[in-house]
Each structure stands twice: as structure tokens, then as C-alpha cells.
Amino acid sequence: MSKPKIVILGGGFGGLFTALDLAGSADVSLVSEENHFLFTPMLYEYLSGEVEAWHIAPRFDELLDNNVHFVQSHVTAIDLTAQSVSLSTYEKSLNYDVLVLALGGVTNYVGVEGAEGFSLPFRKLAHADNLRHRMVTALDRIPPDMAPQDVRRELTFAVVGAGASGCELSTKMADLLTDAFKRRALHGEPRVLVIEMGDRVVPGMGDQIREFVEEALLESRVEVHTKTRVVKVTKDELTFEHEGNQETLKTAGVVWTGGVKMSPLLEQLDVEKNRRGLLIVEPTLHLSQHVNVFALGDIAFYPDATPTLAGTAQLAFQQASLAARNIKAYLEGNEMHTKHFEELGEAISLGTERAAVLTGGKAFGGALARQARFALYTSRLPTWHHRLRVGASWFFGGTAPQPLLPLGLER
Ligand SMILES: Cc1cc2nc3c(=O)[nH]c(=O)nc-3n(C[C@H](O)[C@H](O)[C@H](O)COP(=O)(O)OP(=O)(O)OC[C@H]3O[C@@H](n4cnc5c(N)ncnc54)[C@H](O)[C@@H]3O)c2cc1C
């Protein structure tokens, strides 16, 4: 008898970890548009060169053995009635007995004029490469004798959104640029702004961590603009509004971390969704109208999870083991399980020298927290083999940032 076909869409935290748990139990296919997984919490360290691509973005063919068939393709349509999935690179559609939806989100520019066309997203390796290239080319244009006020204007970068992502990114950028100033003996200092509509930074995090974040933003000399709304982005300008007053700045780059929306593919699905368009799943993670379709991670609304976990890798990672367990139960005709998901702690990178970690209700920061974060994340990487290789590389090879060198000498 042929094995049941399980098709998993999306090779991020939800999809990859489900595939790893299901390997060998059925005919499992993992479909994803990139050829690698991405450990997003360390994308900032990839930007700064503290880690290399292979550390945080291992290829699927290295992670998955012969028990999981990897298909690199873009999913173009999902037909829940015909139980099939259309892919950009294959004429024939892929049929399934069980479908796992783990397609994650995309950057949400919330309709701000010019934002999609002119600001840089920050969700993939290529985005980090583009941003690093943008910083280097901006630095390369500055002659050593340029006056400090002109340098500052030419090297103004803005990060939109002061959630964890915006604060991690802006402190990292500010530290890298400041280091490059010293190495290139430029006059003055760079300007990095973080712009936030709300009244405080890291609104989704507790006060203990916020204190460390605020201190780091200050130390890295990031300009924080709260209660401020970006109204327009152009090729080299940003316009924002604060208390009714508009201001336009010349910018060398604007990075958008201001929001996430669901994969556009979900719009096609005629299933139950919440106000934000997230798929409402049963506590067993399958869709109420389709017992053979499971959804998890950023695209799923799971009522029994601590609210601060929504939209996190932590949640997708924890849900993957429940999804795999319930898929096996479904295929064997057994009862499915439910689980309450708790927060496992918080860790946030703050510039190139420090971090902040909250664990067991206690927060600590500085260089020690940076080391603790590296250790913690080593243990969260996929597969033992990869963890061991990366752990050894960080331990013996170090994790020093790579300076922003002139273009010809860059990585
Ligand atoms: C820069 C950054 C830093 C983050 N830091 C943290 C952190 O420190 N802690 C934390 O808990 N969370 C963090 N997050 C959030 C975390 O990454 C997400 O919550 C998590 O990745 C969700 O997992 P997922 O499986 O739902 O989606 P994802 O991990 O986004 O995976 C979705 C996958 O689907 C693929 N895909 C999408 N559309 C298609 C298509 N049409 N066809 C084929 N493949 C497709 C994508 O390429 C991707 O591989 C961060 C996110 C970003 C962007």
C-alpha cells in the first residue's frame, strides 16, 4: 500500500520543524521558495558579519535526509476541494492527503506612499545583503575632508518601527556605521533614526527588557522618534509627521520593519479567518472545515497561546511538534492532542557588543547577555548535526562583527 502524502508549504520555523518531526512516517514533501531555512532572530548578526550565512541559513538538502522530499518552488494556488497545490515551476499540481500551511508573513507597508517601492524590507538574507551594500556605498561616497554636518546629512538612515526588530536593527546599524567612521577617519558621526507610531519602544515586551533597549539605543546614539508617523518615502527622502508637523529628511536608506501581513495566498482560501486575515485553527491545529489541513506559525490564530507569543518563531517552533503529533494521530485514526503554549523567555540583540535576555522572570544585559543569546540560539537551530557544527564554529572561530569595508574589499 502506498504511504499517505503529506505536503508542507513553507520551510520556516513552522514548516521545517514539522517536516523534521514527520520524516519517515509518511511520504513527506516540503515546498519552499528558498533553498534554505532562515533562523530570523539572527538576521541582524548576519548583517553585521557576526555570523555567516551557513550558520543561520542551512540548506534544506543538508537538513533533510531522504525521508523528506524538498521541492524548491513558489506556491501559486491551493485548492482545498481538489486537495492539490499549484507550483510556479511545475505544470502538474501536487496532490496531498494531508496539507500543512506554514507560509508565514510578508512585509506590510500599510499603504504609506512610496514605502514599498523605496524602502528596504528586512526579512531574508538577500534583504540583509542589500542593506549592507547600501550602507557601504553610502560610506564610500563620503570624501575624508567632508564637513561633519554634510557627512551627517549624507549618512542618515531611518528604521521604521520600534518593535524588537526595529530596535535590534537600528542599534546594529548605528554600531556598524560608527565603527566604519573611525576606520575611515571621517568627520562627525552617522545619523540613525528609529520611527515609531506608538508612545514607546518595544511595545510588545515587558518593562524589564525595555530598560535595556532604551539604554542601548542611547549608547548607540540612535535617535528615537515615538508618536511619529511616516507619511512618504522617496528614493532619497523620508517625510514623517509628529504632533501635526511634517518634516522631510534626506536619507541614504529607509528600512521598513513597521509591520507584517499574512501571505497573500491565504486571501484565496475560503475558510474561517480572524479580523487580521489569520486562519482560525482548532486547538489541535487543523482547520475546522478541513480535518486534514493543518495551519501554524504566523498565519494561524491559535486561541490557547500566551498573547505575547503571536507572530513569533517560538510559537511556530512549539506548534510544529504538536502539528506533527496530530498528523500522525489523524493518519492512524487516533485522537488528536491540544497544548497550551507558554513564552520560553525573550532575547534581543542590541548593537554589536551587547544583548538583553529575559529568562525565569529575570532580565540581564550587556556582553554576557550577548554570549548567553548565542548559546541559547545554538540550541534552537535545526538538527543536532547543524547545532554541533555551528556551536564549534562560534566557539573556536569567534563571533566578531565584520567591519563595513570599501566595496571592493567587502564580503
Ligand atoms: C528579522 C526578523 C527577526 C525576527 N526575530 C525573532 C525573534 O527574535 N524571536 C521570535 O520569536 N521571532 C522572531 N521573528 C519572527 C519569526 O521569524 C516568525 O514568527 C517565524 O518565522 C514564523 O514562522 P512561520 O513558519 O510561520 O513562517 P516563516 O518562518 O516566515 O516561514 C515561511 C516560509 O514560507 C515560505 N513561503 C512563503 N510564501 C511562499 C510561497 N508562495 N511559496 C513557497 N514558499 C513560500 C517562505 O520563504 C518561508 O520559508 C523575526 C522575524 C524577522 C523577519
Side-chain angles (χ1 to χ4, degrees), residues 140 164 228:
D140 286 358
T228 304

Side-chain angles (χ1 to χ4, degrees), residues 8 19 42 62 87 107 153-154 247 279 303:
I8 301 171
M42 294 202 114
E62 288 168 6
L87 305 177
T107 303
R153 199 185 53 245
E154 293 300 317
E247 192 181 331
L279 306 180

Side-chain angles (χ1 to χ4, degrees), residues 9-15 31-34 36-38 40-44 60 73-76 102-105 122-124 165 168 263 265 296-299 311-316 347 373 377:
L9 304 184
F13 279 89
V31 183
S32 210
E33 56 200 353
E34 308 268 2
H36 58 262
F37 168 70
L38 178 60
T40 48
M42 294 202 114
L43 192 54
Y44 318 100
F60 290 120
S73 193
H74 183 79
V75 180
T76 51
L103 290 160
F122 194 76
R123 297 186 61 81
K124 299 180 174 202
S165 209
E168 293 187 89
S263 159
L265 270 175
L296 69 161
D298 284 2
I299 60 165
T312 65
Q314 281 190 36
L315 180 60
R373 188 169 170 275
Y377 283 166

